[in-house]
Amino acid sequence: MSGPGRDPLHDSLAGTVFALPADADSGHDRFDLAEAVTVLSNYDLGVISAVQEFRRGSRRSPKLLLKCDRGPLILKRLAPGRDEPARIAFAHELQRALAAAAFPLPALFPSRSAETLVRLHGHSYELFECVAGQTFDHSPEATFEAGATLGRFHEILAAARPAGDPPTGSYHNLPGVLTSLAAIPERTAEPALAATATSLASIYSAAAEHARRAGLDHWPPQLIHGDWHPGNLLFRAGKVVAVIDYDTARLQPRIIDLANGALQFSLTRTEGDPESWPDTPDELRLKRFCQGYDSAVRTLVSRGEIQALPWLMVEAMIAESALPIAATGKFGRLDPAPFLRMVERKARWIMSSAERISRIIN
């Protein structure tokens, strides 16, 4: 029973939000109790029986998993740079269009004022359904489904025209990648990385030029997801039951999503040192992802898109590696030196095998 003057919601959250996990020094941003109480007071949730930290996705975007009368829900504080109200309104409009077409995604949970965005003390928050599912099992069948789901995503939004000005940048020909690569030796205090960073910068620039020559600059933009990788899809019985994380949605040619998805769903790695990871992607998964995509779109992937895809895979891999290492000095918990040398090996293999990859996905 609450004492005099105590907030019942405060009591229901106390002792759960602050249960620090063993890796509390991992660099994740976190909710505090007062923040959680204030934000959740904007929603009609009934009784909250459990709250715990939910560490998925960006470390700059803390999440809480709630068990309450409205079911399991996830409260998310959007990361700095992705929390502007106009950008979130665009992402929520996109999600409503997908939901209307019965696309698999978690439902946004409205506040008492019927808004799907809560803005408090300079931060932006959203609350959404927690969907039960399994992670990607690396099977050809699940890979095909991942490609087909991306195709369906693009088909639903092909003719959509969002209000306002949605983001338009991507990993392709992004000046910040070269800037980040140049900063890595000093940021990591490893001068020996200068040669690797210089090599990756040269590879990135060459890949961007090949993608441009294939016709990328002339292909029509449309709404894309912007971060199509296994961590953003949930599966059940071999089918995709939820696609999450719409913070990166933007206006770009569809091949930007397709190439990144082809890379992410065909990557090969082991549990050991990154320098022992294979150079080659899993060619069967690469093929099945693209076959799945073609099975769901009315306009099949063109010859130009096929030619651009290997080079965009290279750009995506280097951009995804360089930007976080320049910002934090590490790639997750991995040492940057062996990781970047692995990226260079994989990128060189894709470059030397671009024609082979084009044949595989054709």
Side-chain angles (χ1 to χ4, degrees):
M1 184 172 180
S2 300
R6 290 301 297 261
D7 182 349
L9 179 57
H10 183 288
D11 288 344
S12 74
L13 298 181
T16 54
V17 173
F18 291 135
L20 288 173
D23 61 343
D25 295 328
S26 62
H28 285 79
D29 286 359
R30 307 185 70 235
F31 277 92
D32 62 39
L33 180 58
E35 176 188 16
V37 169
T38 303
V39 176
L40 291 175
S41 67
N42 287 270
Y43 298 94
D44 181 13
L45 302 177
V47 175
I48 301 175
S49 57
V51 181
Q52 67 184 71
E53 285 191 315
F54 188 73
R55 290 193 173 175
R56 299 290 189 276
S58 170
R59 296 183 178 198
R60 303 299 310 281
S61 183
K63 303 169 189 68
L64 296 177
L65 175 60
L66 316 175
K67 184 184 291 185
C68 64
D69 286 350
R70 303 295 180 262
L73 300 170
I74 294 175
L75 177 66
K76 175 179 179 180
R77 184 211 301 155
L78 284 91
R82 296 183 179 179
D83 59 349
E84 302 91 343
R87 180 170 181 162
I88 301 168
F90 154 69
H92 287 190
E93 178 187 353
L94 179 150
Q95 290 174 71
R96 285 189 286 270
L98 291 168
F103 185 82
L105 79 166
L108 289 163
F109 193 91
S111 67
R112 286 195 174 96
S113 59
E115 300 292 335
T116 53
L117 168 67
V118 169
R119 183 85 177 164
L120 291 170
H121 307 302
H123 292 299
S124 296
Y125 303 85
E126 59 186 17
L127 185 67
F128 52 89
E129 173 190 17
C130 179
V131 179
Q134 290 80 47
T135 56
F136 177 58
D137 65 6
H138 297 86
S139 68
E141 295 76 17
T143 306
F144 182 94
E145 289 297 323
T149 304
L150 177 61
R152 187 179 173 205
F153 179 100
H154 286 170
E155 284 295 297
I156 292 170
L157 297 174
R161 294 295 176 264
D165 297 315
T168 57
S170 79
Y171 58 79
H172 166 65
N173 200 29
L174 182 65
V177 174
L178 298 181
T179 303
S180 294
L181 286 168
I184 281 174
E186 182 176 355
R187 181 67 178 84
T188 60
E190 295 197 39
L193 273 179
T196 303
T198 299
S199 175
L200 286 171
S202 177
I203 293 170
Y204 180 83
S205 296
E209 178 61 17
H210 277 283
R212 186 193 67 78
R213 290 180 183 176
L216 177 59
D217 293 347
H218 304 290
W219 296 331
Q222 71 152 85
L223 294 178
I224 67 169
H225 183 272
D227 196 21
W228 200 266
H229 66 76
N232 281 335
L233 275 68
L234 291 172
F235 297 81
R236 196 183 307 142
K239 300 295 183 182
V240 175
V241 293
V243 176
I244 63 174
D245 196 355
Y246 295 86
D247 302 350
T248 54
R250 59 197 55 245
L251 205 60
Q252 278 286 317
R254 65 179 187 172
I255 190 63
I256 294 295
D257 257 355
L258 179 59
N260 184 58
L263 169 72
Q264 300 287 351
F265 282 89
S266 67
L267 277 174
T268 52
R269 58 173 294 173
T270 64
E271 294 301 319
D273 190 308
E275 292 196 284
S276 69
W277 296 1
D279 294 354
T280 61
D282 185 306
E283 294 185 0
L284 175 58
R285 282 193 273 126
L286 176 63
K287 182 174 185 175
R288 293 297 283 159
F289 182 86
C290 294
Q291 287 176 329
Y293 184 85
D294 261 350
S295 75
V297 295
R298 288 189 290 268
T299 303
L300 299 184
V301 179
S302 69
R303 181 179 179 182
E305 289 173 312
I306 290 172
Q307 291 174 339
L309 188 142
W311 304 104
L312 290 169
M313 289 172 65
V314 169
E315 287 189 83
M317 181 164 54
I318 294 175
E320 184 174 323
S321 305
L323 296 174
I325 292 175
T328 67
K330 296 190 297 182
F331 189 84
R333 298 184 179 182
L334 296 174
D335 181 71
F339 184 82
L340 284 176
R341 287 193 289 268
M342 174 274 299
V343 170
E344 182 183 7
R345 284 190 293 105
K346 285 182 176 287
R348 289 193 180 279
W349 187 93
I350 295 173
M351 288 182 71
S352 65
S353 307
E355 290 187 9
R356 174 185 177 86
I357 292 173
S358 295
R359 288 195 302 271
I360 289 171
I361 64 176
N362 190 9

